[in-house]
Amino acid sequence: MSEQVNTAQQFPGQVHDLPGGGIVLSKLDDVINWARSNSLWPLTFATSCCGIEMMATASAKYDFSRFGFEVARATPRQADVIIIAGTIVNKMAPVLKRLYDQMADPKYVIAMGACAISGGPFFYNTYSVVKGADHVIPVDVYVAGCPPRPEALLHALISLQEKIKMGMTREQIRTGKE
Amino acid sequence: MLTNEQIKNKLIEKFGDVLTDFSEPYGMLTFEAPKDLNLKVMQFLYDDAELGFQFLTDLQAVHYPHDKGRELAVVYHLHNLKDNVRIRFKVFTSIEQPDVFTATKLYEAANWMERETYDFFGVNFIGHPNLKRVLNVDEMDYFPMRKEFPLEDQTRVDKDDEMFGRGGSFN
C-alpha cells in the first residue's frame, strides 16, 4: 500500500530560488486546478441521516475547513461541490438535477453513503427511491457507508482534491473534450 | 370527566344501532360507522358540548383485500383536548368505488391527511378542495400501499425466512 501524501501544499511545478527573488515554472492549467482544489465550497444538501454525519464533519471536531471546504453555502450559485448526503427519491430527482444545473462551473459531485450510490437499503422492493444518484447527475467520488464516518467523508473530499489536480473529474474530462 | 361508557351511550342515543363493533382495545373506544354517516358522526362528536372532539389526530386507510365489498377502511382518530380523551372510528368502503365524504369542512387538518390517504390507498374523498398526490410523484399511476403489491420481491433468494422470524424451523 502506497503512503498517503498531503498534496495540498505542494505547488504543481518548479520553484527556483535565486538571490533577491525566484522563478516559478508551471502550466497555467495545473496552477488553476491547484487553486480550485484548495478552495471548494460545498452545497448544503442533506436529504437524510448522512446529513448528520456531514454536519459532524463540518463542525469543530472534524472541521473540513482545514482542507479548504471553507463554508457550506445554502445556495447552488455559490457552491463548487454538491455532497449528496442521503436518499434521493423520485420526487427529489428533478430538484437535484435543477440544483446541479444552477451551480456555476466548475462543479463537482460526491455521492455520500449507500443510498446515494445505489439506493442502498432501498434497492429492493421500493416504489419511490432512485437507485443511485448517478442516474440523475454525474458523480465524481463515491463514499461507502451507511452512513459513512466523518473520516470517510474527509477522505472522499481529499480524493476529490487529488482528482481535480489531475484534471480527472467528470466535468474536466467533458470540457477538455470539447 | 368523560368516560368511554358515557361517549358510547350518547352515540347510541343519537344514532341508534347503525354504529357497530364497539370495543376498547388498550382502553381506547373504537367503533364502526356506515360510510355515508361519517360526517354526521364527526359533526355530532365535534358539536356536542360534553363530547367536544374538536381535534383530528390522524386519518388513514387500511386495505383488507379478502373482505369483499369492504376492502378499504378509513380510520379517524379524534381527541377531546379538554378532558384528554381519544376515540377512534372506522368506515368501510368497496375498492371498486372508494368514495368517502371529506372531513375538510370540519377539520382543517384533514386536508393533507386525506391527500396522503388518497396518494397511498386511492380513497376518493368527495368534496376535498385539492385531492391530488402529496408525497409521491404526480406521474405515479397506482396506489403503492394497497396489498396487491407484495411487501418484498417474491423472487429473492438471499433472504432466509428463518432469519426474519416467519417460517423455517422457528415456527
Side-chain angles (χ1 to χ4, degrees):
Chain A
M1 207 177 131
S2 65
E3 206 174 307
Q4 283 268 308
V5 188
N6 180 6
T7 56
Q9 279 85 44
Q10 278 176 0
F11 182 75
Q14 300 169 352
V15 182
H16 299 281
D17 283 321
L18 297 170
I23 298 171
V24 166
L25 294 173
S26 183
K27 280 195 288 184
L28 194 54
D29 277 353
D30 288 351
V31 177
I32 289 171
N33 284 341
W34 175 70
R36 282 176 174 169
S37 71
N38 286 318
S39 170
L40 289 169
W41 287 8
L43 176 67
T44 318
F45 182 75
T47 44
S48 51
C49 33
C50 281
I52 304 296
E53 296 297 303
M54 187 170 75
M55 288 175 229
T57 317
S59 57
K61 184 164 177 176
Y62 295 98
D63 191 16
F64 63 21
S65 13
R66 292 179 293 156
F67 305 98
F69 301 93
E70 213 45 62
V71 271
R73 306 310 292 188
T75 163
R77 313 270 183 203
Q78 299 171 356
D80 303 300
V81 52
I82 178 167
I83 302 171
I84 307 167
T87 320
I88 301 300
V89 292
N90 288 333
K91 205 163 183 176
M92 198 68 194
V95 181
L96 176 64
K97 176 74 169 68
R98 186 173 182 163
L99 282 170
Y100 179 75
D101 288 342
Q102 284 177 337
M103 284 165 66
D105 291 341
K107 52 194 171 188
Y108 317 100
V109 181
I110 291 177
M112 179 183 182
C115 291
I117 295 172
S118 67
F122 309 105
F123 184 79
Y124 297 103
N125 317 320
T126 180
Y127 54 89
S128 60
V129 177
V130 177
K131 287 161 188 180
D134 49 10
H135 287 288
V136 187
I137 57 175
V139 175
D140 291 309
V141 181
Y142 297 85
V143 202
C146 186
R149 283 195 56 85
E151 291 91 334
L153 181 59
L154 280 179
H155 184 262
L157 291 162
I158 293 164
S159 303
L160 177 66
Q161 290 183 323
E162 311 255 325
K163 222 173 166 182
I164 294 168
K165 277 176 210 143
M166 290 186 287
M168 295 301 284
T169 66
R170 294 287 191 116
E171 204 207 18
Q172 286 166 320
I173 292 170
R174 184 171 57 79
T175 50
K177 274 182 189 162
E178 278 166 10
Chain B
M1 192 58 204
L2 201 56
T3 64
N4 284 351
E5 200 61 32
Q6 284 174 301
I7 302 167
K8 186 177 168 183
N9 288 340
K10 287 202 89 141
L11 282 166
I12 290 174
E13 189 189 321
K14 171 85 179 166
F15 293 99
D17 53 5
V18 295
L19 304 184
T20 50
D21 276 345
F22 279 93
S23 62
E24 296 185 18
Y26 298 96
M28 186 171 176
L29 184 66
T30 304
F31 60 94
E32 186 192 326
K35 75 166 181 175
D36 45 347
L37 277 184
N38 69 336
L39 281 191
K40 293 233 165 59
V41 173
M42 263 188 282
Q43 187 82 52
F44 176 67
L45 288 162
Y46 188 100
D47 285 339
D48 189 271
E50 273 181 56
L51 295 174
F53 285 96
Q54 302 196 342
F55 185 78
L56 179 67
T57 309
D58 204 358
L59 182 170
Q60 70 289 126
V62 189
H63 186 197
Y64 300 103
H66 303 300
D67 212 354
K68 290 287 168 252
R70 31 190 281 143
E71 285 95 345
L72 286 173
V74 179
V75 188
Y76 299 89
H77 287 237
L78 303 177
H79 193 173
N80 175 337
L81 293 164
K82 234 185 243 165
D83 295 317
N84 195 20
V85 180
R86 294 169 190 273
I87 59 165
R88 161 171 56 207
F89 81 97
K90 308 173 184 178
V91 301
F92 286 84
T93 177
S94 78
I95 206 161
E96 285 81 29
Q97 202 184 353
D99 298 339
V100 174
F101 292 118
T102 177
T104 45
K105 303 290 181 296
L106 206 52
Y107 300 102
E108 282 289 322
N111 192 321
W112 280 20
M113 293 180 194
E114 286 183 351
R115 281 179 67 183
E116 187 193 7
T117 309
Y118 163 73
D119 194 349
F120 284 102
F121 292 91
V123 179
N124 181 30
F125 289 97
I126 297 168
H128 191 284
N130 185 29
L131 194 65
K132 58 180 192 185
R133 291 187 184 273
V134 64
L135 288 170
N136 285 307
V137 287
D138 293 328
E139 295 80 32
M140 189 179 259
D141 54 0
Y142 58 99
F143 303 110
M145 287 294 162
R146 288 190 178 176
K147 288 193 180 156
E148 62 257 37
F149 307 106
L151 194 60
E152 289 176 336
D153 184 352
Q154 303 299 301
T155 59
R156 283 187 71 173
V157 289
D158 58 321
K159 280 175 99 175
D160 186 350
D161 278 347
E162 206 165 86
M163 304 299 174
F164 292 87
R166 51 178 189 203
S169 61
F170 284 111
N171 259 353

